[in-house]
Amino acid sequence: KSGLDPGGAWHAWGMACLKAGNLTSAREKFTRCLKPPMDPNQLNHGSRLVQDVIQYLESTVKPVLITDDDYFATLRELEATLRTRSLSLEMMCEGKIQHNSYYQECLFYLHSYGTNLAIISFYMRHDCMREALLHLLNKESPSEVFIEGIFIPSYESGKLHMLENLLETIDPGLESWGVYLIAACKYLQRKNYYHILYELQQFMKDHVRAAMTCIRFFTHGAKSYTELGGKQAWLLKIKDHLKVYLQEVSRSSGRKKMAFTFRKKMSATDVSRHINTVDLQMEVTKFLHQCESSGASQMTDPSLPTLFGNNNMKMDVACKVILEGKNIEEGFGIAFRVLQDFQLEATEVYSKVAKQLVKQQKYSEIQQLLKCVNESGVAAKNDGDNIILNCLNDFKNIPAEDLDNLIQDMDSDENKIQAYVLCNKLRSAYLVSVRQEKGRAVQLVQHVRQLAESSGDDVVKAICAQWL
C-alpha cells in the first residue's frame, strides 16, 4: 500500500527461513528479491544480499560425518545429507564439508545469483582448488578472475606448488592456462615479486623470460662490480635457460611445430648472441671485480653499467674496462671485443677514454691508448688524430710539454695545424703550414695571419706577412 520496495521484506523473511533450517522455503522467498549479476565476470562477490546469505550458511556449516552422533541429527538434515551425497560424488572435492546440505545450499545460491569470482573464492575457501580451476576454465572467465580468486590466495597461503601441480594435472601441456599464466607473470612484475615470478616462469618452462628475470637479479641494486662479482651465479643460470631453450627449439623443429603459444619465442641466432653477451659480461665482471679488489679502480660510477643495457651503457662498459686496469693495455682487449661484438662507435669510446685520462692527468697513457688503437688493425686513417683533437678542449689544463707531445704524435700535418690553432699556438701552426706544398702553404699561412690579427698577436702576424 505504501509503495515501498518489498525486496527487503522478502530478504528478511528468507533469512528467517534459513535460520529456522527451512531451506526449501528460504529458496522460494529469495527468488523474489535476489537477481543474477548483469555480468558474471565482474570483479566482485555479487550483491550484498547474496553475500549475507552465503555468510550465514557458511557460519552454520557443520560437516556431517556418519558417526554415532547421527542419532541426534534432525530428520530433515539426514534427508538433505542423503539427497546431496550423490551430488558430492560428482564434485570430487577434497574436503568433507561438501557432504553438508548447507554447503550444497551455498553452491545453489552462488550458481544462481553469484559472480564467477564469488563461486571460485568459495571453492578456494573450502580447499576445493581443483573445482575452482575447472569452474574458471568452464566459464572461460577473464584472467583478472584467476588472479583475484585463485592466484593471489594460492601464493599468499603458500600453496603455489599445489596450484602448479593441479594446473599440470588438468592440462599437462599448460596450453589452456597460457592466458592466465602470462597475466599472473605481469601481475607479479607490477608488484615487483620477482622471486615468485621466477619460480612461476620455471614451472611454465618459459626459458627466455626466466633468463630475463635472472638478468634483473644479476643487475638490480648492485653498487659496484665487487657486488656483481658475488652475483655471477645468475649469469650461469641465464646461460642454462638459454641453452635449454635452444635444445627445445632444435628438438621441436624436427617434429611438427610445437604449439608453444604463450612461451616467449626467440630465433636461434638471437639466443646465441645473448649467450655470447653473457660470456662477455662474465669476463667483464671478473676483470672489473679484480680491479676493484686490487684497488686499481679509479672511477666512481653512480650507475653501474653492464652489457645488458642499451648501446650507450655498453659503451660505458668499454670505457670502464679500458680505464680500470693497471694500464691501458690490460683492459683494451676485452673492451675491443665489446666494441666489435655490439658494433659500437669505437672512436667515440676512445675519445671518451682520452678525455677521462686528461682529467686524471695521465698524458702518457693517451699515447699508449693511441698505440693500442693503431695496433687493433681496424682503426681508420684519422682515428688517432681525431681522438687527440677531441681531448684538446681542456688544453688550458694540459701542461705545455705534454700538450706539444700529444700534438706531435698526430699523423697528418693538417690535423696538427688544426690542433695548434685550437690551442692558440699560432707560431707552431705557422711553422707546420710553411712546410706544406706551395699552393696549400699560402692558404694556410693566410688563415694563420687572419687569426693572429683578430687575436692581436702582432709578432706572428708580421712573420706571416713577411713569408707571404
Side-chain angles (χ1 to χ4, degrees), residues 18-29:
L18 275 188
K19 287 170 185 169
N22 189 346
L23 304 182
T24 321
S25 180
R27 281 188 185 192
E28 191 264 324
K29 305 292 179 285

Side-chain angles (χ1 to χ4, degrees), residues 64-65 80-81 84-85 88 95-101 103-104:
V64 177
L65 304 172
T81 306
T84 57
R85 228 353 95 74
S88 66
K96 292 172 182 153
I97 201 166
Q98 78 277 13
H99 293 308
N100 192 294
S101 54
Y103 175 88
Q104 296 303 333

Side-chain angles (χ1 to χ4, degrees), residues 27 40 107 263 265 291 314 320 352-353 365 426 437 447:
R27 281 188 185 192
L107 285 179
R263 298 177 180 92
K265 291 189 180 66
C291 295
K314 289 174 182 137
K320 199 172 171 65
K352 248 184 173 177
V353 171
E365 297 212 0
L426 297 180
E437 173 269 321
H447 179 57

Side-chain angles (χ1 to χ4, degrees), residues 59-231:
S59 66
T60 318
V61 164
K62 298 182 287 291
V64 177
L65 304 172
I66 307 301
T67 61
D68 297 347
D69 299 348
D70 274 17
Y71 295 120
F72 304 104
T74 62
L75 279 173
R76 190 187 289 108
E77 205 161 2
L78 270 174
E79 187 190 347
T81 306
L82 292 168
R83 197 175 61 247
T84 57
R85 228 353 95 74
S86 58
L87 272 172
S88 66
L89 289 172
E90 288 167 39
M91 290 300 302
M92 285 298 292
C93 191
E94 274 42 39
K96 292 172 182 153
I97 201 166
Q98 78 277 13
H99 293 308
N100 192 294
S101 54
Y102 282 98
Y103 175 88
Q104 296 303 333
E105 210 57 25
C106 283
L107 285 179
F108 166 77
Y109 285 108
L110 284 168
H111 282 287
S112 308
Y113 309 110
T115 59
N116 286 326
L117 181 60
I119 297 167
I120 284 168
S121 301
F122 174 80
Y123 282 136
M124 291 295 285
R125 278 200 300 281
H126 296 288
D127 291 330
C128 299
M129 194 187 280
R130 183 189 168 82
E131 283 61 40
L133 287 167
L134 290 172
H135 182 82
L136 179 88
L137 268 191
N138 204 0
K139 300 290 180 194
E140 296 179 353
S141 292
S143 42
E144 291 80 11
V145 173
F146 168 73
I147 288 169
E148 284 289 315
I150 299 176
F151 187 68
I152 296 176
S154 295
Y155 77 70
E156 283 183 346
S157 58
K159 290 181 182 167
L160 194 55
H161 280 297
M162 183 181 165
L163 171 63
E164 290 173 351
N165 291 338
L166 277 170
L167 293 175
E168 219 162 14
T169 311
I170 295 169
D171 176 3
L174 299 180
E175 284 305 320
S176 41
W177 305 114
V179 181
Y180 299 118
L181 288 168
I182 293 294
C185 289
K186 284 179 180 166
Y187 166 81
L188 292 170
Q189 205 166 356
R190 276 201 309 278
K191 288 280 190 185
N192 286 337
Y193 294 163
Y194 283 93
H195 288 280
I196 304 175
L197 174 65
Y198 183 51
E199 146 81 28
L200 189 62
Q201 286 167 336
Q202 289 180 92
F203 161 71
M204 290 158 66
K205 300 188 175 58
D206 193 347
H207 293 292
V208 176
R209 286 195 181 96
M212 290 157 105
T213 305
C214 291
I215 290 176
R216 189 189 182 278
F217 283 133
F218 174 70
T219 54
H220 186 69
K223 300 275 190 296
S224 68
Y225 260 90
T226 308
E227 277 180 49
L228 286 184
K231 293 168 114 185

Side-chain angles (χ1 to χ4, degrees), residues 363-422:
Y363 307 109
S364 60
E365 297 212 0
I366 297 178
Q367 288 161 319
Q368 201 181 5
L369 173 70
L370 296 174
K371 182 169 166 279
C372 290
V373 171
N374 290 329
E375 287 170 1
S376 70
V378 292
K381 185 165 174 283
N382 271 336
D383 277 2
D385 289 6
N386 288 334
I387 293 166
I388 294 175
L389 280 172
N390 280 328
C391 67
L392 291 183
N393 297 334
D394 291 330
F395 74 90
K396 291 188 181 68
N397 305 325
I398 304 176
E401 192 183 338
D402 292 303
L403 188 58
D404 268 340
N405 289 341
L406 279 177
I407 297 174
Q408 289 299 326
D409 277 341
M410 294 173 110
D411 291 325
S412 130
D413 280 350
E414 295 273 344
N415 288 334
K416 282 181 186 172
I417 295 167
Q418 198 185 335
Y420 283 131
V421 166
L422 190 72

Side-chain angles (χ1 to χ4, degrees), residues 329-346:
E329 256 170 275
E330 195 186 19
F332 189 84
I334 299 175
F336 183 69
R337 277 187 27 229
V338 170
L339 297 175
Q340 290 290 296
D341 281 10
F342 299 107
Q343 297 176 343
L344 301 172
E345 197 48 68

